[in-house]
Amino acid sequence: MRALIGLAFMVLLATEPQAQIESQPLAPLDGSEQVEGEQEIDRSSRFQRAPFKTFRDEVGPFRPRPIEGEETSEQTGTRIRQLDKMTGAIETVDVFANQQVTLGRLSIRVVSCRTRGEDTQAGALSFLKIWDLRSVDQEPVFSGWMFSDSPALSALDHPRYDVWVMNCIATSGGTPSANE
């Protein structure tokens, strides 16, 4: 049945007159009509690449200026805050450089804490190593710099805990405080 319908459809298409397609060249882009015998316009120059330019109008790729490092000062420790996502408990702890503290299932070691300028309250960056004590392997779950100004830039990815740097501590005496 399908073959019969297909055959009938093909017969209908074959008997229907085809429209004539006329072939004419396109008019030029500028709107003027080309007269026979007139020379054709060379459009290849439209598609040439422009040279690279810098802000100083020099030809060539832009060369960025080297970034100079910002002056930082080493501090004695870091104030860290931890959030337990399961219980909602928040702990704040002062950890001195090259010391390790255990908070819940996490073991946190502060390697270094640096600030921009003399103000320890703003712009702190701290190098931390964090291990999950229930993990089978002994690799840290986080190892890197954390920034107090933008904590999401380099964050701990843990299913239960969030850890972030509050600021640096500059005092050399005293003991670490818990649950501030």
Side-chain angles (χ1 to χ4, degrees):
M1 182 71 168
R2 283 186 178 169
L4 196 57
I5 293 173
L7 184 61
F9 185 69
M10 289 176 63
V11 169
L12 277 173
L13 286 177
T15 58
E16 197 171 305
Q18 297 288 326
Q20 288 290 15
I21 299 173
E22 294 183 17
S23 174
Q24 294 179 359
L26 295 173
L29 292 176
D30 59 0
S32 64
E33 295 203 20
Q34 187 174 354
V35 180
E36 282 188 39
E38 188 177 318
Q39 187 177 7
E40 191 170 318
I41 301 171
D42 180 29
R43 291 189 174 89
S44 62
S45 62
R46 289 189 330 178
F47 300 108
Q48 290 179 353
R49 286 189 158 192
F52 291 109
K53 291 190 176 184
T54 62
F55 294 110
R56 291 171 265 135
D57 290 332
E58 296 174 3
V59 176
F62 179 70
R63 291 185 187 92
R65 293 182 199 103
I67 298 173
E68 295 178 13
E70 196 171 333
E71 289 295 322
T72 60
S73 59
E74 184 76 27
Q75 303 299 328
T76 59
T78 304
R79 178 165 288 153
I80 296 172
R81 186 164 284 168
Q82 175 195 12
L83 167 69
D84 186 342
K85 297 178 197 176
M86 298 285 284
T87 63
I90 296 175
E91 291 185 68
T92 304
V93 176
D94 290 345
V95 183
F96 294 108
N98 297 317
Q99 258 191 345
Q100 197 159 329
V101 67
T102 301
L103 298 172
R105 291 177 16 191
L106 298 181
S107 178
I108 303 169
R109 180 172 177 245
V110 174
V111 177
S112 173
C113 189
R114 303 185 77 75
T115 57
R116 295 180 203 109
E118 298 299 319
D119 185 19
T120 61
Q121 300 299 317
L125 48 136
S126 183
F127 191 84
L128 304 176
K129 289 189 176 189
I130 303 173
W131 292 270
D132 188 351
L133 298 177
R134 292 192 184 174
S135 177
V136 177
D137 57 350
Q138 295 298 318
E139 294 294 316
V141 292
F142 179 84
S143 178
W145 291 94
M146 280 194 184
F147 305 92
S148 66
D149 289 345
S150 53
L153 185 62
S154 176
L156 168 70
D157 184 25
H158 194 272
R160 182 165 181 174
Y161 297 103
D162 277 342
V163 174
W164 63 95
V165 172
M166 299 296 296
N167 54 17
C168 288
I169 50 176
T171 59
S172 59
T175 57
S177 63
N179 293 334
E180 185 178 332

